[in-house]
Each structure stands twice: as structure tokens, then as C-alpha cells.
């Protein structure tokens, strides 16, 4: 075991250019992963961290993996990988209406080099500082590059935004511009010819930012407590993730999306591109004006894209959430002229 004093950050003078043989696992943790914490009773350096939850709050816990070759290219900028490893977890807190608080990081690293880890660590802590998250522990092992982050957040008891709360008549909303990350990825993979009309320089830049530095919608998630009936973040694609809300809430929906791109790759990306980390949420119509005003306050587009048209049974606060299967025709999508659209795909699934 190592003690907290052993994990005090070293002075910059002892920084190695590359990690030498006598640079130990604990030197590595100390160098790259120990930072001052804001709200943690006992952090990195013991067998476990000690946290003091805020009275009257529930803890929200979520885990996400980032695997080289699956979630990021081997030559991707390590700062971006560090940012995204935490950001996708922070996004889950946003989708629950929770305040992100603490995270652990399990890192599997091939023979690490100083510049790579230094940039990864800067990216990770840039995100941690932006969203006030303390890194409180983890594990470090040699192997194919993989990161697993577990995040903990807090929400006043009973106020979490769940997937199973959508009700008949609720409006369906989405934040930001879904599809950008998929367009950025297509550009990087040399599939840009599929994007018609082609992206201009400014649009391309926004798409690459969406892909590499997703901005978790924490402020939106917090503001939606008491307004939204259900919420989810878009990691696998708008249709797929909205499908999870419908399955959990036993609902059907009709979408008519303002400014949906014309048929083609841009439309497919909007409907089924993953990795955007925007929020989809449902809310009773009585809150529509408040939500529209929220868009101005947060300086974030919030678009009403449809409504819940049916519900097969009273949805209950199921104890285990829902991984139920969505019936074929539960989601009808109309174009601007009211014609039914049949999307070419609905979203991403690691096992399909
Ligand atoms: P243990 O022997 O209890 O598994 P370790 O020796 O693996 O502990 O880790 C020592 C301390 O460093 C622990 O407090 C652990 O939580 C922390 N730690 C290990 N790897 C990381 C990491 N990648 N990021 C943050 N903290 C880490
Ligand atoms: Mg360990």
C-alpha cells in the first residue's frame, strides 16, 4: 500500500522525458493522476476513498469504457481522449439531472510515454475542472490501451430524470445539433464525399469539436429537474436513444423535426449518428415556454421534435429501469410535408 504522503505531486524538476525503467506504477499515478480535490474526505492513496454524500440526496453511479480502435483511433490526440473519457461519464450525470461529483479511472496502458500521458492527463483534468469532478481513485495496468471511468453524482432524493417517466401528450425535445459527431467521424474516415452538400470550414470545425470534445449538458440536466418527465443522453443515436425512453415508458411517439436535413448522409447522421452527448427529453406541454426560455438562458438550442402519442400502460417507477424491446411501429417519423420517413438505420449497437 502507498500512503497519501508518498502520492504528493513531485516537483516539475524531476519530470522524466520518457518513462524510464525505474519510473514505477506509483510514480506514474502520482505524476499524472493525483490532483487536489474539492469535496472529498479521503482521496487517492488509501485502499478506498471516503466520500461524504450531501444529506437528502441520492447517489447516481455510472460507468463507461473507452477502448482504442473501438472508441478512438490509435493516433488520436491524447488530450481529446482524456477529455472524452470523463466527458461521456459526465454526460450520464447530465441525463439523470445529477450534479457530477467524483470519478475513478481504471487505465490500461501500453508502454506509456511521458508526452502521451501528460496530454491525456491534461485533457482528463480539463474536463474534471470544468465540471467540478474530483478524481478519487482507480487502477493502473499494462495492456492494450483502454480506459474505464466510473462517475458518481448527486441528485435531491426523488428528483432524478429517468427514462421511464414520459407520459402521453408530452412533447419531445433535443438539445444542440445531433449528428455532428458522426459527420466529423465520416470526414476523418475519408467518407466525406457522402456528405452533401459538403461541410464548409466552419461547419467541419464544429463537427470535429463535437466528436473530440463533447460538452456534457450538465446545466441543462439540472435545469430540467421538475420540468422534464424523462431524459437520456445521445450516445448511440437519436432514434435508438429515444427508443430507450419509449421502451422504458411504454410509449409511442411521432417525430416531425424542424430543419431535418434532406434525405442523405446528413439526415442519417442526425437521426442515427452516435457520440453527440446531447440530451433528449420529454416534458408536459405546460412547460414548453419555460423550456424555450431555457434555451436563451443556457445559450443552447432546444428543439421540440415531436410528441408522445400513446402509452400502453401506466408507467411506474420501475426499480430496475427498463431494457424492454420497442415494438416495430412505436416511433413514426414524418418529413416537413407530413410524409413518413423510413430511416436507413436507427443507431449504434456494439453487438450488431
Ligand atoms: P490497491 O493496491 O489498493 O489496488 P493501487 O496500488 O492499485 O491500490 O493504487 C494505489 C492508489 O492509487 C489507490 O488509492 C488507487 O485508487 C489509486 N490509483 C491507481 N490507479 C489510478 C488511476 N489510474 N487514477 C487514479 N487513481 C489511481
Ligand atoms: Mg489496484
Amino acid at each position: 500500500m502507498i500512503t497519501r504522503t508518498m502520492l504528493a505531486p513531485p516537483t516539475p524538476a524531476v519530470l522524466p522525458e520518457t518513462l524510464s525503467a525505474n519510473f514505477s506504477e506509483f510514480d506514474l499515478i502520482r505524476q499524472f493522476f493525483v490532483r487536489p480535490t474539492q469535496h472529498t474526505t479521503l482521496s487517492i492513496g488509501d485502499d478506498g476513498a471516503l466520500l461524504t454524500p450531501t444529506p437528502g440526496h441520492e447517489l447516481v453511479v455510472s460507468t463507461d469504457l473507452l477502448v482504442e480502435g473501438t472508441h478512438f483511433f490509435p493516433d488520436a490526440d491524447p488530450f481529446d481522449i482524456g477529455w472524452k473519457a470523463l466527458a461521456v461519464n459526465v454526460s450520464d450525470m447530465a441525463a439523470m439531472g445529477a450534479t457530477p461529483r467524483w470519478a475513478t479511472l481504471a487505465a490500461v496502458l501500453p508502454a506509456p510515454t511521458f508526452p502521451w500521458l501528460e496530454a491525456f492527463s491534461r485533457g482528463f483534468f480539463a474536463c474534471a475542472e470544468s465540471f467540478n469532478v474530483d478524481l478519487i481513485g482507480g487502477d493502473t495496468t499494462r495492456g492494450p490501451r483502454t480506459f474505464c471511468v466510473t462517475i458518481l453524482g448527486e441528485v435531491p432524493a426523488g428528483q432524478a430524470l429517468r427514462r421511464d417517466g414520459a407520459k402521453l401528450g408530452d412533447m419531445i425535445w433535443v438539445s444542440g445539433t445531433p449528428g455532428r459527431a458522426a459527420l466529423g467521424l465520416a470526414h476523418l474516415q475519408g467518407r466525406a464525399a457522402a456528405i452533401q452538400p459538403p461541410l464548409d470550414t466552419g461547419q467541419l470545425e464544429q463537427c470535429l469539436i463535437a466528436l473530440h470534445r463533447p460538452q456534457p449538458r450538465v446545466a441543462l440536466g439540472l435545469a430540467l429537474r421538475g420540468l422534464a418527465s424523462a431524459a437520456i443522453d445521445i450516445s448511440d443515436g437519436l432514434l435508438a436513444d429515444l427508443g430507450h425512453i419509449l421502451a422504458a415508458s411504454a410509449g409511442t411517439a411521432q417525430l416531425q423535426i424542424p430543419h431535418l436535413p434532406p434525405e442523405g448522409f446528413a439526415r442519417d447522421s442526425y437521426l442515427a449518428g452516435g457520440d453527440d452527448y446531447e440530451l433528449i427529453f420529454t416534458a408536459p406541454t405546460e412547460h414548453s415556454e419555460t423550456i424555450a426560455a431555457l434555451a436563451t438562458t443556457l445559450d443552447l438550442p432546444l428543439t421540440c421534435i415531436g410528441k408522445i402519442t400513446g402509452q400502453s400502460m401506466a408507467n411506474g417507477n420501475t426499480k430496475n429501469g427498463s431494457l424492454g424491446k420497442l415494438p416495430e411501429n412505436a416511433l413514426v417519423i414524418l418529413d416537413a410535408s407530413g410524409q413518413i420517413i423510413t430511416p436507413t438505420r436507427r443507431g449504434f449497437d456494439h453487438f450488431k
Side-chain angles (χ1 to χ4, degrees):
M1 202 203 81
I2 47 178
T3 64
R4 293 187 83 193
T5 348
M6 287 165 70
L7 284 174
T11 57
V14 300
L15 277 183
E17 277 298 312
T18 55
L19 301 187
S20 60
N22 55 10
F23 194 79
S24 77
E25 178 185 332
F26 302 113
D27 293 329
L28 185 150
I29 295 167
R30 183 169 40 228
Q31 183 66 54
F32 299 112
F33 299 122
V34 176
R35 295 292 179 277
T37 56
Q38 306 303 318
H39 41 250
T40 302
T41 314
L42 177 64
S43 187
I44 296 175
D46 212 312
D47 292 310
L50 293 174
L51 315 176
T52 311
T54 308
H57 286 59
E58 287 172 308
L59 284 175
V60 187
V61 185
S62 181
T63 296
D64 265 305
L65 272 169
L66 251 78
V67 178
E68 183 172 282
T70 302
H71 299 97
F72 58 89
F73 296 120
D75 61 352
D77 182 339
F79 183 100
D80 292 340
I81 299 170
W83 173 279
K84 199 163 171 177
L86 184 58
V88 300
N89 283 273
V90 172
S91 175
D92 285 317
M93 296 298 104
M96 296 298 291
T99 306
R101 300 271 282 162
W102 302 282
T104 63
L105 168 67
V108 187
L109 300 165
T113 56
F114 169 68
W116 199 99
L117 268 178
E118 192 272 333
F120 174 90
S121 165
R122 268 192 299 115
F124 188 96
F125 284 105
C127 186
E129 273 159 36
S130 298
F131 295 97
N132 205 15
V133 173
D134 284 353
L135 180 65
I136 53 156
D139 205 12
T140 308
T141 301
R142 183 70 64 92
R145 192 172 277 134
T146 302
F147 301 98
C148 181
V149 174
T150 294
I151 192 162
L152 291 104
E154 293 185 307
V155 65
Q159 290 188 35
L161 306 176
R162 305 164 49 131
R163 297 178 181 186
D164 60 6
K167 301 263 187 331
L168 177 63
D170 283 356
M171 306 310 273
I172 303 169
W173 297 78
V174 72
S175 68
T177 310
R180 280 185 174 163
L183 294 174
L185 181 66
H187 176 85
L188 292 183
Q189 291 180 325
R191 295 184 283 115
I195 308 169
Q196 293 302 335
L199 302 173
D200 64 32
T201 318
Q203 290 168 325
L204 176 60
E205 195 186 329
Q206 285 178 322
C207 290
L208 292 174
I209 289 172
L211 179 67
H212 293 312
R213 306 262 175 97
Q215 293 295 322
R217 302 307 187 188
V218 174
L220 174 61
L222 296 181
L224 287 176
R225 283 181 197 160
L227 293 177
S229 50
I232 191 168
D233 64 331
I234 305 184
S235 53
D236 295 332
L238 184 148
L239 298 182
D241 289 316
L242 174 58
H244 294 314
I245 288 185
L246 297 179
S249 303
T252 58
Q254 181 172 297
L255 297 185
Q256 194 164 26
I257 302 170
H259 316 300
L260 183 66
E263 191 171 2
F265 194 81
R267 182 200 270 179
D268 292 349
S269 298
Y270 189 105
L271 294 174
D275 247 14
D276 278 309
Y277 304 99
E278 295 295 348
L279 296 188
I280 308 174
F281 56 95
T282 59
T285 46
E286 72 203 60
H287 293 320
S288 292
E289 272 182 35
T290 313
I291 291 169
L294 205 54
T296 313
T297 322
L298 299 176
D299 193 20
L300 173 68
L302 299 177
T303 311
C304 182
I305 59 169
K307 64 179 171 210
I308 304 292
T309 49
Q311 204 157 35
S312 64
M313 53 181 167
N315 59 347
N317 281 339
T318 51
K319 211 171 171 191
N320 299 313
S322 172
L323 291 173
K325 237 180 153 45
L326 193 64
E328 271 298 303
N329 49 7
L331 184 53
V332 176
I333 309 151
L334 305 179
D335 67 13
S337 62
Q339 298 295 310
I340 292 184
I341 297 173
T342 311
T344 43
R345 58 195 183 92
R346 282 177 180 263
F348 187 77
D349 185 318
H350 282 281
F351 293 97
K352 269 192 187 158

